[in-house]
Amino acid sequence: MNPTVWLIGAGPGDPELLTLKAVKALAQAEVVLVDDLVNPQVLEYCPQARIVRVGKRGGCRSTPQEFIQRLMLRYARQGLRVARLKGGDPCIFGRGGEEAQWLSDRGVACEIVNGITAGLAAATSSGIPLTLRGMAQGVTLITAHSQDETTPDWSGLARSGTTLVVYMGVAKVQDMSSQLLAAGMAADTPVAMIERASLPEQRLCPSSLAAMARDADAFQLRSPAILVIGQVAACRMFGIADAPPLAEPAARPLRRQA
Amino acid sequence: MNPTVWLIGAGPGDPELLTLKAVKALAQAEVVLVDDLVNPQVLEYCPQARIVRVGKRGGCRSTPQEFIQRLMLRYARQGLRVARLKGGDPCIFGRGGEEAQWLSDRGVACEIVNGITAGLAAATSSGIPLTLRGMAQGVTLITAHSQDETTPDWSGLARSGTTLVVYMGVAKVQDMSSQLLAAGMAADTPVAMIERASLPEQRLCPSSLAAMARDADAFQLRSPAILVIGQVAACRMFGIADAPPLAEPAARPLRRQA
């Protein structure tokens, strides 16, 4: 099966959270289709490539999914090395599965390059571990804004005892809070709402399950944001932010072995 | 707060899944404490560092957690640049939260560097998207083998409708299967059991909720392995494995801006 498209996770924002594999693929791409949520600094790794912006955020909801897929297919059939850059990871709320399947059905293979998902980076950079012995035995990544109009089973989630990490939840904070309270989750369950995860302008709004709607409002919380709900949200692995910035290392090969 | 220790996620195994930030920190480290599950190839990024192996796997369960923490503290207080390399991500079943807090209580700041978690890489490299519109609205990462002897609420998890990704579950396959069946999850729910995720020797054992114990046994499934339970486990985003290997890119700086 040939040609090939790379579906690349650009990570949460900080360009240093790109993987070596992503950098390697970007360096070889001839056309790069870029989503809105991707930090433009990431494009410094593919100065040779033609950049096509295919974001779907904002007022005009411009580029339909079908059009993006057809565009990838057309470039791939022209024999170009095509990369598609998505925020976070392509297969966690990124439609990577759909796109890979659609392209595969038309004879185009995909290579998926994992990225650090925004929920993980948001928590870590706020000093919150997603799992912690004796406190959170697991973590659930969920979206409040589903594309197929179904809602998560908040009651099952409340009972699961896992840390809940909610993507695309800013518009549904009140609803989420009510549902989880109704499902029996404690009103004082800690919540952390994190705007623009991993970027210098990241903001953290600490709250609780009962107060999160009011607090988000007072904080003027805006998308993109990640909501962390669970006991670990009260953790602040203190001292993290005080780490000195990393200096430039000596030049090193991206990979040693064949 | 000074000095500083880096807690670094080494990713699932494939050294190309390291982040740029991890490579940069490794290049500056003077002492690197390495867990068992870390691919030794990752150490090629820190040839200058003294390597201390602190694995806990296997028969002798050699290095107690407290000892590892004291070792990090001692090196940090000697003024050395200390890195601790963990498989996957430090804060997803990696004790990163505990260690950061312990060090912080003793005046040592931590910088946590995220890594690609094994469950994500295992799924992706098997052609499985963890979320998919109309099929899986979220994903739960959970460990079957809890360190504090509590068991997950399988019934809540079954109801959550999320894809379940189970870490350290090889010894508990039968138990997990029974509990999820008892919680009402369908017997034919697809399951994928993935051994040695992201490495060349990765193996995939496709199964179902009812048959997973028998299949794991026949397959001689060994740790480390990841179990993916849910409708998406039947997906094979076809063609992924056919992607041509990436060539060596031109040398590029790890970071452009200050």
Side-chain angles (χ1 to χ4, degrees), chain A residues 3 5 31-33 50 52 68 70-82:
Chain A
V5 168
V31 187
V32 179
L33 288 82
R50 175 171 165 195
V52 182
I68 298 173
R70 294 205 172 279
L71 208 55
M72 286 194 283
L73 182 63
R74 190 200 305 164
Y75 287 132
R77 285 187 174 159
Q78 285 170 9
L80 295 170
R81 288 191 296 268
V82 183

Side-chain angles (χ1 to χ4, degrees), chain B residues 4-255:
Chain B
T4 298
V5 169
W6 289 296
L7 302 182
I8 302 175
D14 179 352
E16 294 214 321
L17 289 176
L18 276 175
T19 65
L20 299 178
K21 200 169 185 178
V23 169
K24 215 166 174 179
L26 284 173
Q28 292 177 72
E30 291 168 303
V31 187
V32 179
L33 288 81
V34 189
D35 268 2
D36 256 346
L37 285 176
V38 172
N39 185 340
Q41 292 175 2
V42 169
L43 301 179
E44 295 179 13
Y45 290 101
C46 53
Q48 80 291 344
R50 175 171 165 195
I51 306 298
V52 182
R53 292 175 202 282
V54 293
K56 280 183 296 192
R57 214 168 37 141
C60 58
R61 301 182 151 274
S62 47
T63 326
Q65 183 66 21
E66 175 82 7
F67 179 81
I68 299 172
Q69 290 170 180
R70 294 205 172 277
L71 207 56
M72 286 193 283
L73 182 63
R74 189 199 307 163
Y75 287 131
R77 285 188 174 159
Q78 285 170 9
L80 295 170
R81 289 190 297 269
V82 183
R84 170 118 163 83
L85 258 181
K86 293 165 171 291
D89 180 86
C91 291
I92 297 181
F93 312 125
R95 297 196 173 197
E98 278 175 64
E99 295 182 6
Q101 191 59 62
W102 191 92
L103 288 167
S104 158
D105 290 345
R106 286 153 186 83
V108 174
C110 278
E111 175 157 4
I112 297 188
V113 181
N114 288 128
I116 301 291
T117 189
L120 172 58
T124 302
S125 56
S126 305
I128 300 167
L130 290 180
T131 70
L132 195 64
R133 270 203 303 171
M135 192 179 277
Q137 219 186 325
V139 53
T140 299
L141 314 179
I142 194 104
T143 164
H145 175 81
S146 100
Q147 294 142 327
D148 46 7
E149 299 303 319
T150 58
T151 50
D153 184 333
W154 294 111
S155 157
L157 291 170
R159 280 184 50 197
S160 75
T162 62
T163 303
L164 304 183
V165 178
V166 185
Y167 293 61
M168 296 168 273
V170 174
K172 303 253 180 136
V173 172
Q174 178 66 67
D175 182 49
M176 226 179 304
S177 167
S178 310
Q179 300 262 5
L180 288 169
L181 287 168
M185 196 180 262
D188 62 354
T189 303
V191 170
M193 300 183 274
I194 304 142
E195 193 181 277
R196 298 186 70 75
S198 88
L199 293 172
E201 58 271 30
Q202 174 175 317
R203 296 197 306 151
L204 166 68
C205 175
S207 185
S208 68
L209 189 59
M212 64 192 285
R214 190 187 61 211
D215 289 346
D217 197 47
F219 191 79
Q220 299 190 294
L221 185 76
R222 299 239 173 92
S223 291
I226 292 288
L227 317 181
V228 182
I229 304 170
Q231 293 305 320
V232 292
C235 295
R236 298 287 176 273
M237 300 176 287
F238 186 71
I240 286 180
D242 300 332
L246 291 169
E248 216 45 62
R252 302 189 59 75
L254 282 179
R255 190 164 196 181

